[in-house]
Amino acid sequence: MVQKHSVAGYENFVSFMKDFQSNGQMVNILFSGAKLENGVSWCSDCVEAAPFIEAALATAPAESHFIHVDVGDRPTWKDMNNPFRKNSDTHLSVIPTLIRWKNPQRLEGEQCCKADLLEMFFADED
């Protein structure tokens, strides 16, 4: 079963990844907007993509990791100096963004609502 992790904010993300041990297993990371008090993200694109991502996650190798990263509230994300935008490992320009950690695989924005792309993303072990 895929091991799921959740992290909120840039500093927590950096700290988490510094200490994270994947033991050679695939690491997929989803970056999305923070959830509001009602439990729903302020990012409508993230809300739209969530069920597609969750469904496709079932195709991921059992021995893999899925890390959900909350990039912050809307003003934090919209700041062009947001560290998630500047970090060379994440280099985000849109949310939701799904990446394979330290690999080129990446889906951005509406690509995260395409079941076929998501299944290929999670099934691809290269």
Side-chain angles (χ1 to χ4, degrees):
M1 178 178 218
V2 174
Q3 293 183 40
K4 294 182 180 181
H5 314 271
S6 290
V7 181
Y10 183 76
E11 297 302 325
N12 291 333
F13 169 71
V14 171
S15 177
F16 180 85
M17 294 310 292
K18 181 178 156 231
D19 297 331
F20 184 68
Q21 299 293 320
S22 68
N23 300 318
Q25 297 172 336
M26 182 188 303
V27 177
N28 298 303
I29 305 175
L30 172 65
F31 297 93
S32 67
K35 289 186 172 45
L36 301 171
E37 289 179 14
N38 64 5
V40 177
S41 175
W42 61 264
C43 170
S44 59
D45 292 339
C46 299
V47 171
E48 183 181 353
F52 293 98
I53 293 168
E54 193 60 36
L57 193 53
T59 66
E63 300 295 318
S64 66
H65 297 270
F66 179 76
I67 305 169
H68 183 267
V69 180
D70 162 352
V71 300
D73 61 12
R74 191 173 198 282
T76 300
W77 168 247
K78 292 293 184 181
D79 180 352
M80 288 297 123
N81 290 315
N82 181 306
F84 284 110
R85 295 178 184 275
K86 303 287 186 183
N87 183 310
S88 62
D89 287 326
T90 59
H91 196 59
L92 300 181
S93 60
V94 65
I95 53 174
T97 293
L98 186 60
I99 68 169
R100 174 86 38 82
W101 189 242
K102 303 289 186 177
N103 283 277
Q105 292 89 338
R106 181 181 200 96
L107 295 177
E108 297 179 320
E110 55 187 50
Q111 291 176 324
C112 293
C113 292
K114 299 192 181 303
D116 57 341
L117 292 178
L118 287 162
E119 288 178 20
M120 284 190 294
F121 178 92
F122 284 118
D124 182 15
E125 295 194 35
D126 294 332

